[in-house]
Amino acid sequence: WDVAHQAVAELQELHTSGQIPRGGRSCQSGLPKRSKGGLDYIRGSMLEIDFTDADVLFVSSVMFTKAMVAKVAQIARWMKPGSRIISFHNFAELSSSVSFMEFEELGEVIEPTSWKDATCFQVVQVVKNPSAEEDRPQHLKLLSEFEAACHCGIAC
């Protein structure tokens, strides 16, 4: 956590001081300007972001506890049916005490990672949303609701 926190702080400092190029013609690296639909990095907690409109969600949860993954799953269960979630943990089977009927296990995918030649990730699909009696999380923010200082494009 300390290493990740320090890296994010360094990126924020570079962004604030204007050392990260903005892209386009003024970009010395020659990379094109980011497309409107491109990646946008947000400095914040994933538990604050409303990602429920995503079609595919990748959660790098290798070092997460099952309790932390369950917090992500509480939000992900509101994604539209048919959405896919790829995670080290299986959202459909987090524990005997926490059950998420909104997810169906589709299988697994094995991909190389920086620490291993073949890491197994679980793939689940959202098959339904919670019942109408349940309240959707109200604390979530849309990407546009984060302050400009929280947005970071690492490359041009």
Side-chain angles (χ1 to χ4, degrees), residues 50-95:
D50 185 351
F51 55 79
T52 58
D53 64 340
D55 296 313
V56 177
L57 177 67
F58 175 76
V59 183
S60 183
S61 64
V62 174
M63 297 300 291
F64 292 2
T65 63
K66 285 189 177 186
M68 190 170 184
V69 175
K71 289 180 181 182
V72 177
Q74 286 287 359
I75 300 169
R77 59 201 287 248
W78 292 94
M79 293 171 70
K80 58 187 170 269
S83 299
R84 308 286 167 88
I85 301 165
I86 303 149
S87 174
F88 187 77
H89 293 85
N90 185 340
F91 277 41
E93 298 176 3
L94 288 173
S95 72

Side-chain angles (χ1 to χ4, degrees), residues 34 36-54 57 139-152:
R34 290 189 308 154
K36 184 174 181 168
L39 293 176
D40 193 11
Y41 296 91
I42 301 293
R43 183 177 47 90
S45 170
M46 68 182 171
L47 301 176
E48 295 176 33
I49 298 174
D50 185 351
F51 55 79
T52 58
D53 64 340
L57 177 67
H139 67 282
L140 303 176
K141 293 193 240 179
L142 298 172
L143 295 178
S144 60
E145 295 175 312
F146 282 84
E147 295 177 22
C150 294
H151 289 259
C152 179

